[in-house]
Amino acid sequence: MFAKKIKDDWKIISKTATNEHSIQHGKRILFIVSNVHFHGTSSLPVGASFSEIVNAYHEFKIAGFTVDFISPEGGAIPLSYINTSNELQKKYLYDADFMHAIANTKKPSDVTANNYKAVHYIGGSSAMYGVANSQPIQNLVMDIYENHNGIISSVCHGTAGIAFLTLRSGEFLVSGKRISGYPDEYENPKKEYYKQFPFKITETIEKHGGDFNYAPRNTPYIEVDGRVVTGQNYLSSALVAKKIIQLIN
């Protein structure tokens, strides 16, 4: 309702509907991102893939989920692969609430495991640094997975984050499971960025007993093995999110 004072009298000049149906249902997803700005000890910039964040985030948002972000250190994170000509990316780049969440990621100690239905490791080459070896993140993720029946997921280089996850039995999470991510074969071993990687994704997954699978370049591809959902690249992000939603529902 809107009123305006006219000649000392308040007059109602319009009415608007304010009661809108909300699709939010209270279920939460946890996105895991890296704080690292550069490849290893080099000056080569690196960041979390904005396209992978947005493609997955949008699917969860329209399905009524709340998405929270954590990083090893909390706070703002570097971003890469931003395309303002992409309609969906542009939409979220100018979404104040979304960008506030990106600029204020939580620390692992700020969140409680039983609040989340799934975790999602975001790619971009920054995912190779600081995430897989973060014990607080590993502990939180395995708490969600083992104690609260949660789902573990990743896309592209985000799969680096699950390579060292260990079950309470001592076995690697990926052991005996079909896994996807950005394959070593598609990297350029002659480039300085790759020389900075602390480990190789395909090699490590297979060393830990996983069955690593992927498709031709620039092709969407996902693997679903129980409550572990993984995708090859940014084109797979929305598919991974949709599969997680299906599993939860």
Side-chain angles (χ1 to χ4, degrees):
M1 181 179 296
F2 178 71
K4 185 176 180 180
K5 195 173 185 179
I6 303 175
K7 294 183 179 180
D8 297 323
D9 286 329
W10 288 97
K11 304 292 185 180
I12 297 175
I13 59 175
S14 68
K15 293 183 179 181
T16 57
T18 58
N19 186 19
E20 295 183 4
H21 175 67
S22 173
I23 62 170
Q24 300 300 297
H25 46 54
K27 297 176 183 177
R28 306 182 84 91
I29 307 295
L30 192 62
F31 279 25
I32 302 173
V33 289
S34 173
N35 300 103
V36 173
H37 288 72
F38 300 98
H39 281 281
T41 58
S42 77
S43 59
L44 297 171
V46 72
S49 171
F50 191 68
S51 58
E52 291 177 28
I53 293 174
V54 165
N55 291 346
Y57 182 94
H58 182 68
E59 294 298 331
F60 288 120
K61 190 73 173 176
I62 62 177
F65 288 81
T66 297
V67 176
D68 292 327
F69 293 84
I70 67 163
S71 60
E73 299 174 11
I77 61 166
L79 298 168
S80 61
Y81 307 110
I82 298 175
N83 178 6
T84 55
S85 294
N86 178 278
E87 184 177 347
L88 192 62
Q89 289 190 43
K90 184 178 180 181
K91 166 185 168 68
Y92 284 106
L93 187 63
Y94 294 104
D95 184 312
D97 291 337
F98 172 79
M99 293 307 296
H100 181 270
I102 295 290
N104 296 273
T105 65
K106 302 174 186 294
K107 297 178 182 178
S109 58
D110 294 333
V111 301
T112 304
N114 64 6
N115 287 339
Y116 298 95
K117 298 293 184 180
V119 301
H120 184 56
Y121 286 83
I122 296 295
S125 296
S126 63
M128 296 299 302
Y129 309 97
V131 175
N133 61 349
S134 169
Q135 198 60 53
I137 285 181
Q138 288 188 33
N139 294 342
L140 174 65
V141 169
M142 295 316 295
D143 190 357
I144 293 171
Y145 182 77
E146 294 192 297
N147 299 326
H148 302 287
N149 202 40
I151 295 166
I152 293 176
S153 69
S154 66
V155 164
C156 202
H157 286 92
T159 295
I162 75 171
F164 296 91
L165 292 177
T166 307
L167 302 168
R168 63 168 62 96
S169 65
E171 185 178 37
F172 286 108
L173 170 75
V174 300
S175 180
K177 291 186 174 63
R178 300 184 309 279
I179 302 295
S180 190
Y182 198 78
D184 299 346
E185 184 179 341
Y186 292 169
E187 304 284 6
N188 188 337
K190 296 180 181 179
K191 294 292 187 178
E192 181 61 27
Y193 85 90
Y194 190 57
K195 295 177 182 178
Q196 293 287 334
F197 279 10
F199 60 93
K200 300 175 181 179
I201 295 178
T202 305
E203 179 182 271
T204 304
I205 294 293
E206 292 179 343
K207 179 182 177 181
H208 292 169
D211 177 17
F212 194 91
N213 299 287
Y214 58 95
R217 292 177 185 271
N218 300 316
T219 303
Y221 181 84
I222 73 171
E223 283 285 358
V224 183
D225 198 326
R227 288 182 288 119
V228 178
V229 185
T230 51
Q232 178 172 320
N233 49 29
Y234 78 97
L235 297 171
S236 313
S237 296
L239 297 178
V240 168
K242 289 176 180 179
K243 177 54 68 172
I244 293 171
I245 293 167
Q246 179 184 339
L247 291 172
I248 290 173
N249 291 338

